[in-house]
Amino acid sequence: MKNENQTMLSFSHAAVGYGEKVVLQDVSFQVKKGEYVALIGSNGTGKSTLIKCVSGLLPLTGGEIEICGKNSRKLKARERAQMVAVVPQSYYVDYDFTVEDIVMMGRNPYIDFRHRESQEDREIAERAMKLTKTDMFRNRLYNQLSGGERQRVILARAITQQPDIILLDEPTSALDLHHQIEVMELIRQLNEKEHITVLAVLHDINLASRFCSRIVILKDGKVKADGPPREIINRREIIPIRVMDEKQTAKPLRIHVICGEKGGVRILEQLTNMGHFVSAGVVNRESDDAEICEYLGSQGLRLIPSRQ
Amino acid sequence: MKNENQTMLSFSHAAVGYGEKVVLQDVSFQVKKGEYVALIGSNGTGKSTLIKCVSGLLPLTGGEIEICGKNSRKLKARERAQMVAVVPQSYYVDYDFTVEDIVMMGRNPYIDFRHRESQEDREIAERAMKLTKTDMFRNRLYNQLSGGERQRVILARAITQQPDIILLDEPTSALDLHHQIEVMELIRQLNEKEHITVLAVLHDINLASRFCSRIVILKDGKVKADGPPREIINRREIIPIRVMDEKQTAKPLRIHVICGEKGGVRILEQLTNMGHFVSAGVVNRESDDAEICEYLGSQGLRLIPSRQ
Amino acid sequence: ETDAFPVTVMDDFGNEVTLEKALESIVSLAPVDTEILFALGAGDSVTGRTDYCNYPEEAADVDSIGTYMEPNMELILSKSPDLVVASGFIDDNIRQQLEENGTAIFITNASDLESTEKNIETLGKLIGHDAEAEEVVKNMEDEWTDLSAELENVKEEKSAFIDIGSLYSAGPSSLLDNSMQMIKVENVAADADSAWPQLSAEAVVEANPDVYISLYSTLEDVQQTAGLSDLACLNEDGGFIYTDGSSVEGDMIQRPGPRYVEGLKVLAELVYPEIAE
Amino acid sequence: MKNKKSKTGFLVLAVLLCLGIVWVCTITGAASVSISDANRILLNKLFHLNVSLEEISKGNITIIWNIRFPRIILGFITGAALAVSGAGYQGIFKNPMADPFVLGISSGAALGAAVGIVCHFTFRIGVFNSTMLLAFAGSFATLFLVYSISRVGRRVPVATLLLSGVAINSTLSALMSFIMMMNKQSMDQIMFWTMGTLNGKGWNQIAAVLPWVLIGLVIMLLSCRELDVMLTGEETATQLGVNIELVKRKVLFASSLLTASVISVTGIIGFVGLVVPHVVRLLTGPKHRRLLPVSMVFGGAFMVICDTAARSLTTSEIPVGIITSICGGPFFLYLLRKSKKGGGVV
Amino acid sequence: MKNKKSKTGFLVLAVLLCLGIVWVCTITGAASVSISDANRILLNKLFHLNVSLEEISKGNITIIWNIRFPRIILGFITGAALAVSGAGYQGIFKNPMADPFVLGISSGAALGAAVGIVCHFTFRIGVFNSTMLLAFAGSFATLFLVYSISRVGRRVPVATLLLSGVAINSTLSALMSFIMMMNKQSMDQIMFWTMGTLNGKGWNQIAAVLPWVLIGLVIMLLSCRELDVMLTGEETATQLGVNIELVKRKVLFASSLLTASVISVTGIIGFVGLVVPHVVRLLTGPKHRRLLPVSMVFGGAFMVICDTAARSLTTSEIPVGIITSICGGPFFLYLLRKSKKGGGVV
Ligand SMILES: Nc1ncnc2c1ncn2[C@@H]1O[C@H](COP(=O)(O)OP(=O)(O)OP(=O)(O)O)[C@@H](O)[C@H]1O
Ligand SMILES: Nc1ncnc2c1ncn2[C@@H]1O[C@H](COP(=O)(O)OP(=O)(O)OP(=O)(O)O)[C@@H](O)[C@H]1O
Ligand SMILES: [Mg+2]
Ligand SMILES: [Mg+2]
């Protein structure tokens, strides 16, 4: 049934606002199954608003949104939540829920009074916590976590929802560089292996062009540009975003990765795959990473134990 | 009186935790007047916790913190707030306060029942809103702003506090690239022109090394490394943070700035000053920016109207 | 006295009460009913009373079953009563439960002399003490005749304000209002719009009563009430009458039972000291 | 696994505890019925065992079987219903001061009862007498009034709901006071009605409330998961597939049904619905899946014990609300102080 | 600039409005004193003008000058104090259900008064009689009890404070009911006391409460800015130089002083302290700098008008709490519906 080229998310002339204030005027674009779209736009252009529309928090004032071919207006909250998961920009909980509780809530769209929470549900949550590395603090209270830890917990919850589409609002804003890349990598894996369609609001156009298959730029309530990263950044149109583009994948870069513990593998691998000239530094001779560097080195990675 | 080399912030063997959980074990470092220090560490290392200690929200369990030479334990909230302003990681307000109300609250440490809020206070708030470009939505409700807009409002409030030290917890996490650089630039100006000491938690080590005079790295509740960016990144020690360091100021880069509206000036100027090879692209021939590019061009900036 | 059963009478709530056989056990749920029952000579059959039944003294020997607002069902039933006599306060549910367990309930709710006498007679008939009832009522009538004769001597009728606390007073058709009418005292609160009105201080001052009857507050307290200290009656002898509402006299005034006329007399003598002589 | 075991354990323990309490309370009381007599009556009536009751006086049988035992059952139902209802309201409103009466249900009931008492209606439908019917009608009329006043389009913001409830509550109480004032004869009766009691309530009342209470409890227990998700915020709940307006309607309806049915029979009994959920929350945390069942058991048991004290301590009845507050208040304060968190809950 | 002008404008308007209300209410009442007489008495007494009072009966002078006028002044003081106190509690607790009685001040006062009434104490200090003194003492004892129970080290978490208040409130009310139950004779007296009224209150009572109310109001009005900052969160407030524990203590003390002093004289008057701040907040927004003064004026004026209705509508007094609720409730609901936001305030 499910066509690989199925349109998962389709905006046609979508318009929305808060009271008098119009935020989105006429947004039209479509996201196909398995795409990984970055939504870019300056502060206050309505990216979060767009996400709210898709997740049913704001009623459209004009146009249509279709989710998996179904009109968004007619979707029940439950149906929608089975198809769409959201990682919001920030998220508070006043109550003493543990991380596990929060993640398990991702199963809510699949549980009702006839189908109680099953072993399978618990396993799915388990896996999501493992993937996001939040399982080590599963029993801690959510509101006692640090900013970055929280962000990963919410990602875990979204994964637990097993959605067709995942909407991320600046999913890495509170993460350190290490986790940032890990999370982006995780999302790419979900996208590639499980064919989850991803729409992510990102401010870092470098991150976007490195990970996403397509960039949509919002401005003045409309889609200003839409296409693969390479194309977008080279477009002649006036793009209102300042881009430091020395990181474009199109141009090989010399990148020095400082890493010393195990775990650098993925990053090194990935950067190499992207075609950059990667160097890794200050690696402990005895460490795991050193071995990997050596291994990778034979595939084009120059291992330099120290700089200068 | 005030020595240029005065120690503004001094941690000596500071230790703190939540209940049983120890977060900072033994943190010692000093920040001198006019320094701009980046605090770096992976998620959950206790950066926000450290900031909470300085702003008096958490009592130390060991060691001392001195602020402008005064023991932090003995500081009154009011005194402290006149010296230290904080831009927290995230910030909610349940009530219908306007942006102006929120910014004016920055004057609170200077007002009491004898000294009512004066014209001067209002002017200071005014200036802070101008600097952070939040004056255009001064009358809107804070809780109806977008994530990025909020972050700037809180920065405006911190500036209104006219502190000697400003503590920033990921001050640019929700900002688009444009505002990110503007805000970082603004903080640098405050730092350079008004000699405000800055301690900023940053995840983007590139941003840190570009703007800060010094980097402090936290790990395992201790200071793991401390020094100027160049030094830190070249240190032989095992630094647990992966750094893409191709942006180091030490190495001139080719940077292409896509800009088309006015406002690119500062960025272009700054990058040029940093010694990079800067190119600006897709500039509207008739726009303000074009003129500026031409002007800067004569100072070593190559203006290329389009790429490829 | 014995062959009258079954007896059926009508109580103050309009319910028919039927007794099939002679009584062994009566529980009284109100002080006034206890007084009536004892006056009727049925004291021996009274097996339960309330905490507040303080008259006659013999009543103290009877077991208490609680207060009239919150009697204890179990204690009532443990007396296996044939009849429960209660005041109008009785809770519907309690009544229902008692009826379901085969207990007859008689409710008294008198607010003047006539209905008081009627209650005594009806209750007498119900429990088969007609003669005693007749006697009690006759006594009351006699007392009343004496009292009204004495009241003839009153030259100048007085107006009075009854303060049952915080300027609350006895409104129209209340027992106290009816009592005042009988003893020729003009009740300042007689045209209030409820039976238990609170008069405003200015209304009291405007009415300027000849007598101020206070059941709970002392003269000092009353004088603290704004504007009242200027009242003529508070500043002359005999103008202020304090009768402790919880005293014997207070009970007599406030209970529509056998001692009601006695109470009237006490009240009348307080207001018109001249008839006391 | 562990979860399931502890659940069964809890269930067994709870049932045993409740049975124990019911038994102890049945043999306790103002009237002196010997323990063996009480047991024999229970065995005979409850399990239809062939235990002879011939030597026991009819009065004692009535006391145990028609008065004490149904009163205990009704007490349990009342306590359970009020506690669950309070927990439900506290969850929906996210407000620690919310109690079963926060939407004016109680003042609506009281107003209805007052009208019934003043007008001396005598009609009855089945086991319901006029006062009960009017109180129940008053409750539900109030609920719908508050709900429709608070409605903005298809949404019902809880903040508005709460404020409307507060306002309606005052207004209806005032109207009731006004009726009381104007009808001195009925004043005491209305006042005693408002001071809830289980005195004089029996099998009839159980029959009258049980169906509604069961419906209410089932709806509430089936809404636990959704209530949990709602606690994390309405927006998030929507994104997690909860139809928040439906849940609100459902929980408000069920909570109100619980409260209205119970208080139309017993009159207004405070404290239990307000404080029991807090006490339980200090022990179980905020998750409704544990909060609601434990509140139910705890509320019921607490009510039965307090009511037993109310009818046994002195010769007269002490209104049960007084006992619950005097004993429960200090206990709650003790828990509050002990809990290190300082009760930063709900 | 604009701010200042509108401030002065508001002040002038408010003062004029209040004077107008006071005047209209002074010439209105159950006793029929002609308008010209009333005016002459006021002119003579208030401004010591040389207006002859000879033709006016002494009773009328007493009515206007010793009964009606002071009652109006006391009404204004009471309304203002309760409204400001309610706003203060709502601000500190960030809870829309908080009212002046949330910490148990009222049940403390009632318990104190009940003890006074039951024990027939007759001592007095100056203008204070024993009931007033005991009520006031009861209030403050309760405040300190709640405060010290909630204290965790040097901090007093508001959530704990609120819950303790709720518990203490129930417990003390229950104790009072118990006293009432045990003392049938004093029952009515205690009930009258709890149904607050301004009837019979005059210059003495004004003298008794005015100093405390002034202290309370001044403290509250001087804490506006800090209260605003506190609304944005305790952590932020600390970072903005607010000593949050001090502010809490200050505001709790001042609010309680306002409430305790007023209710120890008038008895418990509900509604005003709960709803007036909400009404005002719908008009002014959450900033205390506007909320508190406007609540003060609005509360005072509202109280005076309702009390005038209470004493003039029928031949007997209607308890003023009934009038405030019956009129104020629907008005508040109307505002709530009209405000587009749907009242998502406090
Ligand atoms: N509840 C609201 N009421 C009114 N206006 C709002 C509301 N929420 C957001 N806005 C306005 O709508 C516009 C879009 O907001 P939105 O949050 O969608 O921006 P965004 O693209 O996510 O920005 P950011 O990158 O800063 O997060 C902004 O101008 C914001 O001020
Ligand atoms: N209130 C709290 N109670 C208990 N533990 C806490 C609390 N707040 C934070 N922690 C824990 O303390 C550690 C440090 O937290 P902190 O917020 O300081 O981290 P951080 O360095 O700011 O991280 P991030 O980059 O994710 O913001 C974390 O492990 C966190 O889980
Ligand atoms: Mg956003
Ligand atoms: Mg942090």
Side-chain angles (χ1 to χ4, degrees), chain C:
Chain C
E1 228 187 69
T2 47
D3 47 33
F5 294 99
V7 195
T8 300
V9 296
M10 188 91 92
D11 74 6
D12 277 350
F13 273 14
N15 301 313
E16 287 197 341
V17 185
T18 306
L19 276 186
E20 301 291 345
K21 56 180 174 45
L23 287 158
E24 283 162 8
S25 164
I26 309 176
V27 169
S28 161
L29 292 189
V32 61
D33 296 329
T34 310
E35 282 193 31
I36 296 177
L37 288 171
F38 273 87
L40 291 178
D44 293 342
S45 323
V46 177
T47 51
R49 56 149 183 116
T50 72
D51 288 347
Y52 305 129
C53 296
N54 52 2
Y55 187 91
E57 269 169 29
E58 305 89 75
D61 302 335
V62 178
D63 293 338
S64 168
I65 48 76
T67 62
Y68 69 86
M69 313 87 89
E70 292 272 10
N72 192 312
M73 273 308 292
E74 293 187 5
L75 288 178
I76 298 176
L77 284 176
S78 66
K79 304 294 174 201
S80 309
D82 309 300
L83 175 69
V84 168
V85 187
S87 70
F89 297 118
I90 188 168
D91 180 60
D92 275 349
N93 290 298
I94 291 181
R95 211 168 107 189
Q96 203 180 324
Q97 212 168 38
L98 285 172
E99 278 167 355
E100 277 164 12
N101 288 300
T103 308
I105 298 164
F106 184 86
I107 292 172
T108 63
N109 192 30
S111 58
D112 54 19
L113 180 58
E114 198 188 332
S115 54
T116 305
E117 290 174 352
K118 197 193 111 229
N119 270 334
I120 294 172
E121 282 170 343
T122 321
L123 195 54
K125 187 173 165 217
L126 181 65
I127 61 174
H129 288 232
D130 308 60
E132 289 91 334
E134 229 165 83
E135 171 123 21
V136 172
V137 168
K138 188 170 170 296
N139 268 342
M140 288 172 73
E141 281 296 325
D142 291 347
E143 279 175 322
W144 171 236
T145 317
D146 292 351
L147 181 57
S148 26
E150 281 172 11
L151 283 169
E152 290 297 313
N153 300 330
V154 172
K155 291 164 218 101
E156 207 181 337
E157 292 190 5
K158 289 184 180 173
S159 66
F161 174 66
I162 291 204
D163 181 1
I164 48 183
S166 304
L167 295 179
Y168 277 85
S169 190
S173 78
S174 64
L175 180 68
L176 275 171
D177 180 57
N178 289 330
S179 309
M180 306 241 284
Q181 274 180 22
M182 292 179 78
I183 59 168
K184 296 189 174 173
V185 176
E186 189 199 338
N187 183 5
V188 162
D191 49 4
D193 39 26
S194 70
W196 201 358
Q198 187 192 32
L199 293 203
S200 46
E202 55 184 79
V204 176
V205 169
E206 196 181 34
N208 197 14
D210 300 316
V211 186
Y212 192 110
I213 304 171
S214 169
L215 292 194
Y216 293 96
S217 320
T218 58
L219 179 59
E220 204 178 20
D221 283 336
V222 172
Q223 276 172 335
Q224 284 300 313
T225 310
L228 294 194
S229 55
D230 294 346
L231 271 182
C233 60
L234 294 190
N235 295 307
E236 62 195 35
D237 279 351
F240 180 80
I241 296 168
Y242 172 64
T243 155
D244 187 352
S246 48
S247 65
V248 180
E249 289 81 14
D251 283 347
M252 288 196 296
I253 297 171
Q254 293 173 81
R255 286 182 191 171
R259 294 187 295 162
Y260 177 57
V261 182
E262 247 181 280
L264 283 183
K265 188 163 186 223
V266 171
L267 199 59
E269 285 173 353
L270 283 170
V271 179
Y272 301 112
E274 62 263 32
I275 65 171
E277 281 120 42

Side-chain angles (χ1 to χ4, degrees), chain D residues 125-185:
Chain D
I125 305 179
V127 285
F128 302 95
N129 66 28
S130 57
T131 310
M132 271 162 70
L133 284 170
L134 284 168
F136 194 77
S139 294
F140 265 77
T142 310
L143 176 67
F144 287 119
L145 184 64
V146 170
Y147 190 84
S148 45
I149 285 177
S150 313
R151 193 168 194 146
V152 182
R154 281 170 51 213
R155 293 188 54 238
V156 180
V158 287
T160 317
L161 207 53
L162 196 61
L163 290 183
S164 311
V166 161
I168 293 267
N169 223 337
S170 307
T171 309
L172 296 187
S173 303
L175 280 175
M176 192 206 65
S177 304
F178 192 72
I179 291 185
M180 264 170 77
M181 238 196 62
M182 290 290 128
N183 295 275
K184 170 65 179 68
Q185 303 90 310

